[in-house]
Amino acid sequence: MDILLIEDHDFQRQVLATQLAHLIDPNQDQIYCAANGIDALAAVTRYQPQLLFCDLNMPQMDGISFLGHLAEQQFTGAIIITSALNAEVLISVNKMCQNYGLNLLGILSKPTHIEQLQQLLTVAANHLQLCDTTMPLPQVLTEQDIIDAFNANYLTPYYQPIVNLKTGEWVASEALIRFIHPAYGIVPASCFIQHLTQIGKDSHLALLIINHIIDHQAIFEGRRVAVNISAKTLVERSFINNVLALHYQYPHLHHWVYFELTESDLFESAGKALEAAARLGMHGFSLSIDDFGTGYSSLKQLDILPFKSLKLDISFVQAMPTNYTAKVIIETCLLLAHRLNLTSIAEGVEDITLWLKLQKMDCELAQGYFISPPLPFSQIPIWHAQWQQRNQQLLNNSSLEDIAARRQPL
């Protein structure tokens, strides 16, 4: 792959370039360098890199402005931020990239460590394998494009495993939709999710995922899969009716599926939300609150709806090693989950440091690229076999280097 390294400090740029040179394949990979955002924009145009390492605090054009320009150009490559800035800034940049639809894979803290760099390169390789496109994506996807995607089965669920932090046992998965176009490749979620909402296809998408889970139940072996739904979908009576009709046809469906509700979604009617939750609960389905702590109504929603699990937001989880405030927020959320008898799930577990921290904090479950990226269903058995080997090392307290070395791309 072609890699662009953007760093204004000569020595740090040389160190990172040297580390990368030891990890890449010189016959297939190429490293380019830029000292600021202006030079980097020119280099992006000239070299079309697939992976960027981007510093933030740079002269002439800083890295944050550079990322904004990348978003305007609809850059589809992978991005890794390299920075020594405080965690509050990094959290803001992370959220900015999410809203812009940029493919931010992770943050490499300074001074850089080759083990963490190796992990992020593996993540980038997996990402690029999925995003190998043959044609540029149109500027704007139309309503008809989305409808055609449904009809042509271009919308495909991928699954990210969720494991027990104490035992390493694979206990569940989260379904994440991928728009895989035969000509354009992977279409970024930012290009189609909003369209789905605008044309009222949210519930259709959820039902598509549920049916996919039913069709491939042998892969999951009875483990539950989280299906993301909006507040609007939850209170849609026809959606609940369709779910219960499937449950009548497949009586074990409530053991196979549970619903994650984004915490920032607001209910127009608490009564309708309670009606929907009660109907689902009567048949054994459970609700989880997603991205907990990022909205304005967290505690109110916990009081209104009968949630069974609470997912810790990725921005707080990943900021813990360098941000005391984020660590306290996670501790508080875990205490709340324990007191309310809710299962706690940490998302965004990218490395063994976060894994060990969350273990000590008595978080129950985890998902993230340290465990596995989202996968097509066919790759889950391969991942599971590899994970069982790595997990045995975790249980045996093997060295961090050995565990990192056993992390193989799927």
Side-chain angles (χ1 to χ4, degrees):
M1 72 182 119
D2 289 331
I3 301 170
L4 177 59
L5 171 57
I6 310 161
E7 169 64 63
D8 69 302
H9 193 283
D10 292 340
F11 176 74
Q12 292 180 348
R13 185 170 61 249
Q14 184 60 47
V15 168
L16 184 52
T18 302
Q19 290 176 325
L20 283 169
H22 282 92
L23 296 173
I24 65 173
D25 183 346
N27 296 318
Q28 299 184 16
D29 304 325
Q30 180 69 46
I31 302 173
Y32 304 97
C33 294
N36 57 62
I38 294 175
D39 292 344
L41 284 176
V44 168
T45 301
R46 184 181 309 117
Y47 303 118
Q48 299 292 309
Q50 298 148 307
L51 174 62
L52 303 182
F53 285 86
C54 181
D55 189 20
L56 296 181
N57 191 3
M58 298 184 293
Q60 298 185 52
M61 178 189 287
D62 60 58
I64 299 174
S65 296
F66 167 71
L67 292 172
H69 284 285
L70 280 187
E72 292 174 0
Q73 296 177 10
Q74 296 188 325
F75 179 74
T76 58
I79 300 168
I80 295 170
I81 288 176
T82 60
S83 180
L85 293 175
N86 67 67
E88 290 182 1
V89 175
L90 296 178
I91 290 172
S92 296
V93 174
N94 190 351
K95 292 178 179 178
M96 179 195 79
C97 289
Q98 290 178 19
N99 281 278
Y100 275 150
L102 293 171
N103 299 312
L104 179 61
L105 300 186
I107 295 173
L108 187 65
S109 58
K110 295 180 180 179
T112 57
H113 297 283
I114 199 163
E115 294 83 6
Q116 186 185 11
L117 183 59
Q118 174 68 74
Q119 290 177 358
L120 288 172
L121 282 175
T122 301
V123 172
N126 289 334
H127 172 83
L128 293 172
Q129 185 178 3
L130 295 175
C131 296
D132 183 20
T133 60
T134 57
M135 290 176 59
L137 187 67
Q139 287 286 326
V140 178
L141 290 174
T142 66
E143 179 176 332
Q144 190 60 48
D145 289 329
I146 303 298
I147 294 172
D148 290 344
F150 266 100
N151 295 336
N153 297 318
Y154 294 161
L155 296 173
T156 303
Y158 274 44
Y159 300 94
Q160 187 168 39
I162 300 171
V163 302
N164 185 295
L165 271 161
K166 288 186 178 179
T167 66
E169 179 188 1
W170 174 35
V171 297
S173 303
E174 180 183 2
L176 300 162
I177 200 67
R178 293 291 185 266
F179 185 167
I180 305 178
H181 195 281
Y184 307 134
I186 302 288
V187 180
S190 60
C191 295
F192 71 91
I193 290 295
Q194 188 175 359
H195 285 289
L196 283 168
T197 301
Q198 290 173 346
I199 64 176
K201 287 286 188 179
D202 301 61
S203 60
H204 294 76
L205 179 62
L207 290 169
L208 180 153
I209 293 171
I210 293 169
N211 279 290
H212 194 271
I213 294 166
I214 291 171
D215 291 342
H216 300 94
Q217 186 51 221
I219 293 289
F220 303 107
E221 300 177 342
R223 297 176 180 88
R224 295 195 308 161
V225 180
V227 177
N228 292 284
I229 61 173
S230 64
K232 181 181 178 182
T233 298
L234 177 66
V235 300
E236 187 179 314
R237 285 196 179 98
S238 62
F239 171 73
I240 303 299
N241 291 339
N242 284 322
V243 170
L244 296 183
L246 285 170
H247 186 253
Y248 180 80
Q249 188 176 357
Y250 302 96
H252 294 289
L253 185 60
H254 64 288
H255 293 303
W256 301 344
V257 165
Y258 69 102
F259 298 102
E260 276 192 7
L261 187 68
T262 302
E263 180 266 321
S264 57
D265 285 347
L266 298 175
F267 296 111
E268 294 181 4
S269 169
K272 288 183 178 180
L274 285 165
E275 175 190 332
R279 293 184 68 199
L280 289 172
M282 182 168 59
H283 294 277
F285 291 96
S286 61
L287 296 176
S288 175
I289 188 165
D290 194 12
D291 299 334
F292 185 75
T294 58
Y296 300 101
S297 56
S298 307
L299 298 178
K300 185 66 174 177
Q301 286 206 24
L302 279 179
D303 183 47
I304 292 175
L305 293 178
F307 290 106
K308 298 297 183 183
S309 57
L310 179 155
K311 181 171 281 187
L312 306 173
D313 182 66
I314 186 173
S315 61
F316 296 127
V317 171
Q318 294 187 344
M320 278 199 304
T322 56
N323 187 317
Y324 177 74
T325 301
K327 181 174 180 291
V328 171
I329 289 172
I330 293 296
E331 289 173 342
T332 303
C333 290
L334 288 172
L335 175 61
L336 183 65
H338 292 157
R339 293 292 296 271
L340 295 176
N341 199 28
L342 301 175
T343 300
S344 53
I345 308 169
E347 63 176 338
V349 180
E350 302 286 321
D351 53 45
I352 195 167
T353 301
L354 285 173
W355 172 275
L356 295 174
K357 280 182 180 293
L358 289 161
Q359 266 188 338
K360 291 179 181 179
M361 297 167 77
D362 289 329
C363 183
E364 295 174 65
L365 307 179
Q367 69 183 96
Y369 278 74
F370 175 71
I371 302 155
S372 173
L375 301 169
F377 75 91
S378 60
Q379 290 189 14
I380 291 178
I382 303 170
W383 162 81
H384 192 209
Q386 292 180 358
W387 172 251
Q388 287 176 307
Q389 295 178 21
R390 289 181 58 221
N391 181 52
Q392 193 58 50
Q393 289 186 305
L394 288 169
L395 294 175
N396 293 338
N397 296 315
S398 300
S399 71
L400 305 190
E401 292 78 8
D402 288 342
I403 295 169
R406 290 299 295 269
R407 185 179 184 191
Q408 304 170 8
L410 295 170

mmCIF file of all heavy atoms in Angstrom, residues 316-357:
data_model
loop_
_atom_site.group_PDB
_atom_site.id
_atom_site.type_symbol
_atom_site.label_atom_id
_atom_site.label_comp_id
_atom_site.label_asym_id
_atom_site.label_seq_id
_atom_site.Cartn_x
_atom_site.Cartn_y
_atom_site.Cartn_z
ATOM 1 N N PHE A 316 -14.684 7.622 25.120
ATOM 2 C CA PHE A 316 -14.223 7.599 26.511
ATOM 3 C C PHE A 316 -13.286 6.415 26.756
ATOM 4 O O PHE A 316 -12.280 6.537 27.452
ATOM 5 C CB PHE A 316 -15.409 7.530 27.468
ATOM 6 C CG PHE A 316 -16.306 8.746 27.406
ATOM 7 C CD1 PHE A 316 -17.671 8.605 27.196
ATOM 8 C CD2 PHE A 316 -15.789 10.015 27.547
ATOM 9 C CE1 PHE A 316 -18.498 9.711 27.132
ATOM 10 C CE2 PHE A 316 -16.610 11.129 27.489
ATOM 11 C CZ PHE A 316 -17.970 10.976 27.279
ATOM 12 N N VAL A 317 -13.621 5.260 26.182
ATOM 13 C CA VAL A 317 -12.800 4.068 26.373
ATOM 14 C C VAL A 317 -11.388 4.310 25.853
ATOM 15 O O VAL A 317 -10.396 4.050 26.547
ATOM 16 C CB VAL A 317 -13.437 2.852 25.662
ATOM 17 C CG1 VAL A 317 -12.475 1.661 25.667
ATOM 18 C CG2 VAL A 317 -14.757 2.474 26.332
ATOM 19 N N GLN A 318 -11.275 4.841 24.648
ATOM 20 C CA GLN A 318 -9.958 4.990 24.038
ATOM 21 C C GLN A 318 -9.147 6.135 24.638
ATOM 22 O O GLN A 318 -7.929 6.169 24.501
ATOM 23 C CB GLN A 318 -10.110 5.184 22.523
ATOM 24 C CG GLN A 318 -10.679 3.958 21.836
ATOM 25 C CD GLN A 318 -10.683 4.059 20.325
ATOM 26 O OE1 GLN A 318 -10.544 5.145 19.766
ATOM 27 N NE2 GLN A 318 -10.853 2.923 19.661
ATOM 28 N N ALA A 319 -9.830 7.059 25.317
ATOM 29 C CA ALA A 319 -9.118 8.182 25.931
ATOM 30 C C ALA A 319 -8.583 7.852 27.320
ATOM 31 O O ALA A 319 -7.774 8.607 27.867
ATOM 32 C CB ALA A 319 -10.036 9.402 26.016
ATOM 33 N N MET A 320 -8.996 6.739 27.895
ATOM 34 C CA MET A 320 -8.633 6.424 29.281
ATOM 35 C C MET A 320 -7.138 6.465 29.591
ATOM 36 O O MET A 320 -6.741 6.992 30.633
ATOM 37 C CB MET A 320 -9.192 5.049 29.675
ATOM 38 C CG MET A 320 -10.633 5.036 30.085
ATOM 39 S SD MET A 320 -11.014 3.548 31.042
ATOM 40 C CE MET A 320 -10.497 2.262 29.922
ATOM 41 N N PRO A 321 -6.275 5.911 28.730
ATOM 42 C CA PRO A 321 -4.861 5.875 29.101
ATOM 43 C C PRO A 321 -4.230 7.248 29.306
ATOM 44 O O PRO A 321 -3.252 7.377 30.043
ATOM 45 C CB PRO A 321 -4.207 5.136 27.918
ATOM 46 C CG PRO A 321 -5.305 4.314 27.333
ATOM 47 C CD PRO A 321 -6.530 5.157 27.486
ATOM 48 N N THR A 322 -4.773 8.285 28.660
ATOM 49 C CA THR A 322 -4.152 9.610 28.731
ATOM 50 C C THR A 322 -5.059 10.686 29.322
ATOM 51 O O THR A 322 -4.617 11.810 29.515
ATOM 52 C CB THR A 322 -3.724 10.070 27.319
ATOM 53 O OG1 THR A 322 -4.870 10.045 26.447
ATOM 54 C CG2 THR A 322 -2.655 9.136 26.759
ATOM 55 N N ASN A 323 -6.297 10.349 29.617
ATOM 56 C CA ASN A 323 -7.255 11.353 30.078
ATOM 57 C C ASN A 323 -7.901 10.890 31.372
ATOM 58 O O ASN A 323 -8.705 9.947 31.387
ATOM 59 C CB ASN A 323 -8.318 11.586 28.998
ATOM 60 C CG ASN A 323 -9.259 12.737 29.341
ATOM 61 O OD1 ASN A 323 -9.710 12.871 30.471
ATOM 62 N ND2 ASN A 323 -9.557 13.561 28.361
ATOM 63 N N TYR A 324 -7.565 11.572 32.468
ATOM 64 C CA TYR A 324 -8.096 11.190 33.779
ATOM 65 C C TYR A 324 -9.612 11.335 33.819
ATOM 66 O O TYR A 324 -10.318 10.504 34.405
ATOM 67 C CB TYR A 324 -7.456 12.058 34.867
ATOM 68 C CG TYR A 324 -7.986 11.783 36.258
ATOM 69 C CD1 TYR A 324 -7.609 10.625 36.947
ATOM 70 C CD2 TYR A 324 -8.867 12.672 36.883
ATOM 71 C CE1 TYR A 324 -8.090 10.372 38.211
ATOM 72 C CE2 TYR A 324 -9.357 12.421 38.140
ATOM 73 C CZ TYR A 324 -8.967 11.271 38.806
ATOM 74 O OH TYR A 324 -9.459 11.014 40.061
ATOM 75 N N THR A 325 -10.119 12.396 33.185
ATOM 76 C CA THR A 325 -11.570 12.617 33.183
ATOM 77 C C THR A 325 -12.299 11.460 32.499
ATOM 78 O O THR A 325 -13.315 10.965 32.994
ATOM 79 C CB THR A 325 -11.917 13.936 32.475
ATOM 80 O OG1 THR A 325 -11.262 15.010 33.156
ATOM 81 C CG2 THR A 325 -13.417 14.183 32.480
ATOM 82 N N ALA A 326 -11.782 11.021 31.357
ATOM 83 C CA ALA A 326 -12.402 9.905 30.644
ATOM 84 C C ALA A 326 -12.381 8.639 31.500
ATOM 85 O O ALA A 326 -13.357 7.877 31.534
ATOM 86 C CB ALA A 326 -11.680 9.658 29.321
ATOM 87 N N LYS A 327 -11.285 8.426 32.212
ATOM 88 C CA LYS A 327 -11.179 7.252 33.090
ATOM 89 C C LYS A 327 -12.236 7.304 34.196
ATOM 90 O O LYS A 327 -12.895 6.299 34.495
ATOM 91 C CB LYS A 327 -9.782 7.181 33.697
ATOM 92 C CG LYS A 327 -9.537 5.994 34.622
ATOM 93 C CD LYS A 327 -8.084 5.949 35.043
ATOM 94 C CE LYS A 327 -7.804 4.776 35.975
ATOM 95 N NZ LYS A 327 -8.440 4.955 37.300
ATOM 96 N N VAL A 328 -12.430 8.482 34.777
ATOM 97 C CA VAL A 328 -13.435 8.619 35.844
ATOM 98 C C VAL A 328 -14.837 8.416 35.278
ATOM 99 O O VAL A 328 -15.694 7.792 35.929
ATOM 100 C CB VAL A 328 -13.308 10.005 36.519
ATOM 101 C CG1 VAL A 328 -14.472 10.256 37.473
ATOM 102 C CG2 VAL A 328 -11.981 10.110 37.272
ATOM 103 N N ILE A 329 -15.078 8.917 34.068
ATOM 104 C CA ILE A 329 -16.399 8.714 33.448
ATOM 105 C C ILE A 329 -16.662 7.225 33.246
ATOM 106 O O ILE A 329 -17.761 6.733 33.537
ATOM 107 C CB ILE A 329 -16.479 9.467 32.101
ATOM 108 C CG1 ILE A 329 -16.528 10.981 32.361
ATOM 109 C CG2 ILE A 329 -17.702 9.028 31.295
ATOM 110 C CD1 ILE A 329 -16.417 11.813 31.103
ATOM 111 N N ILE A 330 -15.666 6.481 32.766
ATOM 112 C CA ILE A 330 -15.834 5.033 32.579
ATOM 113 C C ILE A 330 -16.078 4.356 33.924
ATOM 114 O O ILE A 330 -16.959 3.484 34.053
ATOM 115 C CB ILE A 330 -14.601 4.427 31.881
ATOM 116 C CG1 ILE A 330 -14.502 4.938 30.441
ATOM 117 C CG2 ILE A 330 -14.661 2.901 31.909
ATOM 118 C CD1 ILE A 330 -15.645 4.512 29.544
ATOM 119 N N GLU A 331 -15.313 4.730 34.955
ATOM 120 C CA GLU A 331 -15.505 4.147 36.287
ATOM 121 C C GLU A 331 -16.914 4.411 36.790
ATOM 122 O O GLU A 331 -17.566 3.515 37.370
ATOM 123 C CB GLU A 331 -14.470 4.724 37.259
ATOM 124 C CG GLU A 331 -13.054 4.235 37.027
ATOM 125 C CD GLU A 331 -12.037 4.958 37.893
ATOM 126 O OE1 GLU A 331 -12.354 6.054 38.409
ATOM 127 O OE2 GLU A 331 -10.936 4.431 38.051
ATOM 128 N N THR A 332 -17.404 5.627 36.571
ATOM 129 C CA THR A 332 -18.748 5.988 37.031
ATOM 130 C C THR A 332 -19.816 5.198 36.275
ATOM 131 O O THR A 332 -20.787 4.705 36.869
ATOM 132 C CB THR A 332 -18.975 7.497 36.837
ATOM 133 O OG1 THR A 332 -17.950 8.223 37.542
ATOM 134 C CG2 THR A 332 -20.338 7.911 37.374
ATOM 135 N N CYS A 333 -19.641 5.067 34.970
ATOM 136 C CA CYS A 333 -20.601 4.291 34.164
ATOM 137 C C CYS A 333 -20.615 2.827 34.601
ATOM 138 O O CYS A 333 -21.683 2.203 34.666
ATOM 139 C CB CYS A 333 -20.247 4.392 32.686
ATOM 140 S SG CYS A 333 -20.526 6.028 31.958
ATOM 141 N N LEU A 334 -19.437 2.281 34.900
ATOM 142 C CA LEU A 334 -19.372 0.886 35.350
ATOM 143 C C LEU A 334 -20.044 0.715 36.710
ATOM 144 O O LEU A 334 -20.754 -0.272 36.937
ATOM 145 C CB LEU A 334 -17.914 0.421 35.413
ATOM 146 C CG LEU A 334 -17.240 0.206 34.055
ATOM 147 C CD1 LEU A 334 -15.749 -0.064 34.239
ATOM 148 C CD2 LEU A 334 -17.888 -0.947 33.294
ATOM 149 N N LEU A 335 -19.825 1.677 37.600
ATOM 150 C CA LEU A 335 -20.486 1.620 38.903
ATOM 151 C C LEU A 335 -22.001 1.664 38.733
ATOM 152 O O LEU A 335 -22.745 0.897 39.363
ATOM 153 C CB LEU A 335 -20.014 2.779 39.774
ATOM 154 C CG LEU A 335 -20.707 2.917 41.147
ATOM 155 C CD1 LEU A 335 -20.458 1.672 41.999
ATOM 156 C CD2 LEU A 335 -20.216 4.174 41.863
ATOM 157 N N LEU A 336 -22.464 2.548 37.862
ATOM 158 C CA LEU A 336 -23.896 2.662 37.589
ATOM 159 C C LEU A 336 -24.434 1.348 37.027
ATOM 160 O O LEU A 336 -25.504 0.873 37.431
ATOM 161 C CB LEU A 336 -24.133 3.811 36.611
ATOM 162 C CG LEU A 336 -25.579 4.141 36.249
ATOM 163 C CD1 LEU A 336 -26.334 4.639 37.471
ATOM 164 C CD2 LEU A 336 -25.622 5.202 35.150
ATOM 165 N N ALA A 337 -23.695 0.762 36.074
ATOM 166 C CA ALA A 337 -24.139 -0.501 35.484
ATOM 167 C C ALA A 337 -24.235 -1.602 36.534
ATOM 168 O O ALA A 337 -25.215 -2.364 36.568
ATOM 169 C CB ALA A 337 -23.171 -0.914 34.366
ATOM 170 N N HIS A 338 -23.234 -1.676 37.420
ATOM 171 C CA HIS A 338 -23.255 -2.707 38.458
ATOM 172 C C HIS A 338 -24.426 -2.504 39.421
ATOM 173 O O HIS A 338 -25.122 -3.460 39.789
ATOM 174 C CB HIS A 338 -21.934 -2.694 39.239
ATOM 175 C CG HIS A 338 -20.765 -3.137 38.413
ATOM 176 N ND1 HIS A 338 -19.466 -2.789 38.715
ATOM 177 C CD2 HIS A 338 -20.699 -3.881 37.285
ATOM 178 C CE1 HIS A 338 -18.651 -3.311 37.812
ATOM 179 N NE2 HIS A 338 -19.375 -3.966 36.930
ATOM 180 N N ARG A 339 -24.657 -1.252 39.818
ATOM 181 C CA ARG A 339 -25.738 -0.974 40.773
ATOM 182 C C ARG A 339 -27.115 -1.252 40.172
ATOM 183 O O ARG A 339 -28.054 -1.628 40.877
ATOM 184 C CB ARG A 339 -25.656 0.491 41.240
ATOM 185 C CG ARG A 339 -24.431 0.811 42.087
ATOM 186 C CD ARG A 339 -24.471 0.114 43.445
ATOM 187 N NE ARG A 339 -25.579 0.573 44.257
ATOM 188 C CZ ARG A 339 -25.524 1.610 45.085
ATOM 189 N NH1 ARG A 339 -24.415 2.308 45.190
ATOM 190 N NH2 ARG A 339 -26.576 1.953 45.792
ATOM 191 N N LEU A 340 -27.239 -1.049 38.852
ATOM 192 C CA LEU A 340 -28.520 -1.289 38.168
ATOM 193 C C LEU A 340 -28.612 -2.698 37.585
ATOM 194 O O LEU A 340 -29.583 -3.020 36.899
ATOM 195 C CB LEU A 340 -28.722 -0.255 37.053
ATOM 196 C CG LEU A 340 -28.877 1.205 37.502
ATOM 197 C CD1 LEU A 340 -28.982 2.128 36.293
ATOM 198 C CD2 LEU A 340 -30.105 1.358 38.395
ATOM 199 N N ASN A 341 -27.587 -3.513 37.863
ATOM 200 C CA ASN A 341 -27.561 -4.901 37.380
ATOM 201 C C ASN A 341 -27.625 -4.965 35.851
ATOM 202 O O ASN A 341 -28.327 -5.794 35.272
ATOM 203 C CB ASN A 341 -28.713 -5.716 37.986
ATOM 204 C CG ASN A 341 -28.473 -7.211 37.885
ATOM 205 O OD1 ASN A 341 -27.319 -7.668 37.854
ATOM 206 N ND2 ASN A 341 -29.544 -7.986 37.801
ATOM 207 N N LEU A 342 -26.876 -4.071 35.200
ATOM 208 C CA LEU A 342 -26.787 -4.055 33.750
ATOM 209 C C LEU A 342 -25.449 -4.649 33.317
ATOM 210 O O LEU A 342 -24.426 -4.410 33.954
ATOM 211 C CB LEU A 342 -26.888 -2.621 33.215
ATOM 212 C CG LEU A 342 -28.149 -1.827 33.551
ATOM 213 C CD1 LEU A 342 -28.001 -0.384 33.047
ATOM 214 C CD2 LEU A 342 -29.374 -2.479 32.941
ATOM 215 N N THR A 343 -25.458 -5.399 32.230
ATOM 216 C CA THR A 343 -24.216 -5.902 31.659
ATOM 217 C C THR A 343 -23.459 -4.742 31.009
ATOM 218 O O THR A 343 -24.037 -3.965 30.255
ATOM 219 C CB THR A 343 -24.498 -6.976 30.595
ATOM 220 O OG1 THR A 343 -25.195 -8.064 31.203
ATOM 221 C CG2 THR A 343 -23.209 -7.483 29.977
ATOM 222 N N SER A 344 -22.180 -4.613 31.305
ATOM 223 C CA SER A 344 -21.372 -3.521 30.746
ATOM 224 C C SER A 344 -20.547 -4.031 29.572
ATOM 225 O O SER A 344 -19.926 -5.092 29.643
ATOM 226 C CB SER A 344 -20.450 -2.929 31.812
ATOM 227 O OG SER A 344 -19.671 -3.936 32.429
ATOM 228 N N ILE A 345 -20.561 -3.259 28.474
ATOM 229 C CA ILE A 345 -19.832 -3.615 27.253
ATOM 230 C C ILE A 345 -18.966 -2.424 26.855
ATOM 231 O O ILE A 345 -19.478 -1.317 26.681
ATOM 232 C CB ILE A 345 -20.792 -3.953 26.098
ATOM 233 C CG1 ILE A 345 -21.832 -4.996 26.530
ATOM 234 C CG2 ILE A 345 -20.013 -4.442 24.874
ATOM 235 C CD1 ILE A 345 -22.964 -5.172 25.538
ATOM 236 N N ALA A 346 -17.679 -2.640 26.700
ATOM 237 C CA ALA A 346 -16.774 -1.580 26.247
ATOM 238 C C ALA A 346 -16.507 -1.758 24.762
ATOM 239 O O ALA A 346 -16.117 -2.843 24.324
ATOM 240 C CB ALA A 346 -15.463 -1.632 27.025
ATOM 241 N N GLU A 347 -16.735 -0.705 23.975
ATOM 242 C CA GLU A 347 -16.404 -0.772 22.548
ATOM 243 C C GLU A 347 -15.131 0.020 22.289
ATOM 244 O O GLU A 347 -14.742 0.881 23.067
ATOM 245 C CB GLU A 347 -17.552 -0.238 21.692
ATOM 246 C CG GLU A 347 -17.893 1.216 21.900
ATOM 247 C CD GLU A 347 -18.979 1.693 20.934
ATOM 248 O OE1 GLU A 347 -19.156 1.063 19.881
ATOM 249 O OE2 GLU A 347 -19.634 2.703 21.252
ATOM 250 N N GLY A 348 -14.473 -0.309 21.190
ATOM 251 C CA GLY A 348 -13.256 0.409 20.837
ATOM 252 C C GLY A 348 -12.020 -0.084 21.549
ATOM 253 O O GLY A 348 -11.062 0.673 21.728
ATOM 254 N N VAL A 349 -11.997 -1.355 21.967
ATOM 255 C CA VAL A 349 -10.807 -1.910 22.623
ATOM 256 C C VAL A 349 -9.788 -2.234 21.526
ATOM 257 O O VAL A 349 -9.900 -3.245 20.836
ATOM 258 C CB VAL A 349 -11.167 -3.166 23.450
ATOM 259 C CG1 VAL A 349 -9.914 -3.731 24.125
ATOM 260 C CG2 VAL A 349 -12.229 -2.827 24.491
ATOM 261 N N GLU A 350 -8.813 -1.342 21.382
ATOM 262 C CA GLU A 350 -7.887 -1.408 20.251
ATOM 263 C C GLU A 350 -6.572 -2.106 20.580
ATOM 264 O O GLU A 350 -5.856 -2.517 19.672
ATOM 265 C CB GLU A 350 -7.570 0.009 19.760
ATOM 266 C CG GLU A 350 -8.783 0.816 19.340
ATOM 267 C CD GLU A 350 -9.358 0.359 18.018
ATOM 268 O OE1 GLU A 350 -8.570 0.039 17.125
ATOM 269 O OE2 GLU A 350 -10.587 0.305 17.888
ATOM 270 N N ASP A 351 -6.227 -2.215 21.860
ATOM 271 C CA ASP A 351 -4.934 -2.796 22.192
ATOM 272 C C ASP A 351 -5.007 -3.479 23.554
ATOM 273 O O ASP A 351 -6.001 -3.380 24.273
ATOM 274 C CB ASP A 351 -3.821 -1.735 22.179
ATOM 275 C CG ASP A 351 -4.146 -0.530 23.061
ATOM 276 O OD1 ASP A 351 -4.604 -0.743 24.203
ATOM 277 O OD2 ASP A 351 -3.959 0.605 22.612
ATOM 278 N N ILE A 352 -3.929 -4.161 23.900
ATOM 279 C CA ILE A 352 -3.915 -4.937 25.138
ATOM 280 C C ILE A 352 -3.919 -4.035 26.373
ATOM 281 O O ILE A 352 -4.383 -4.429 27.445
ATOM 282 C CB ILE A 352 -2.712 -5.903 25.156
ATOM 283 C CG1 ILE A 352 -2.921 -6.952 26.264
ATOM 284 C CG2 ILE A 352 -1.406 -5.144 25.320
ATOM 285 C CD1 ILE A 352 -1.976 -8.111 26.185
ATOM 286 N N THR A 353 -3.431 -2.803 26.225
ATOM 287 C CA THR A 353 -3.450 -1.882 27.361
ATOM 288 C C THR A 353 -4.874 -1.592 27.796
ATOM 289 O O THR A 353 -5.200 -1.659 28.996
ATOM 290 C CB THR A 353 -2.736 -0.562 26.987
ATOM 291 O OG1 THR A 353 -1.391 -0.851 26.603
ATOM 292 C CG2 THR A 353 -2.731 0.396 28.166
ATOM 293 N N LEU A 354 -5.750 -1.296 26.844
ATOM 294 C CA LEU A 354 -7.155 -1.072 27.178
ATOM 295 C C LEU A 354 -7.801 -2.346 27.697
ATOM 296 O O LEU A 354 -8.618 -2.307 28.626
ATOM 297 C CB LEU A 354 -7.907 -0.561 25.948
ATOM 298 C CG LEU A 354 -7.664 0.894 25.559
ATOM 299 C CD1 LEU A 354 -8.342 1.208 24.219
ATOM 300 C CD2 LEU A 354 -8.188 1.839 26.634
ATOM 301 N N TRP A 355 -7.468 -3.465 27.101
ATOM 302 C CA TRP A 355 -8.005 -4.757 27.552
ATOM 303 C C TRP A 355 -7.710 -4.970 29.042
ATOM 304 O O TRP A 355 -8.601 -5.296 29.832
ATOM 305 C CB TRP A 355 -7.388 -5.869 26.703
ATOM 306 C CG TRP A 355 -7.689 -7.268 27.138
ATOM 307 C CD1 TRP A 355 -7.034 -7.998 28.080
ATOM 308 C CD2 TRP A 355 -8.742 -8.123 26.642
ATOM 309 N NE1 TRP A 355 -7.591 -9.250 28.204
ATOM 310 C CE2 TRP A 355 -8.639 -9.353 27.338
ATOM 311 C CE3 TRP A 355 -9.725 -7.970 25.684
ATOM 312 C CZ2 TRP A 355 -9.503 -10.425 27.090
ATOM 313 C CZ3 TRP A 355 -10.590 -9.030 25.439
ATOM 314 C CH2 TRP A 355 -10.478 -10.234 26.138
ATOM 315 N N LEU A 356 -6.442 -4.773 29.438
ATOM 316 C CA LEU A 356 -6.047 -4.998 30.830
ATOM 317 C C LEU A 356 -6.671 -3.967 31.773
ATOM 318 O O LEU A 356 -7.074 -4.294 32.889
ATOM 319 C CB LEU A 356 -4.523 -4.981 30.943
ATOM 320 C CG LEU A 356 -3.795 -6.111 30.207
ATOM 321 C CD1 LEU A 356 -2.282 -5.916 30.267
ATOM 322 C CD2 LEU A 356 -4.177 -7.475 30.766
ATOM 323 N N LYS A 357 -6.749 -2.702 31.331
ATOM 324 C CA LYS A 357 -7.360 -1.667 32.164
ATOM 325 C C LYS A 357 -8.820 -2.001 32.449
ATOM 326 O O LYS A 357 -9.297 -1.882 33.586
ATOM 327 C CB LYS A 357 -7.265 -0.300 31.478
ATOM 328 C CG LYS A 357 -5.917 0.390 31.596
ATOM 329 C CD LYS A 357 -5.949 1.754 30.931
ATOM 330 C CE LYS A 357 -4.606 2.449 31.051
ATOM 331 N NZ LYS A 357 -4.276 2.800 32.456
#
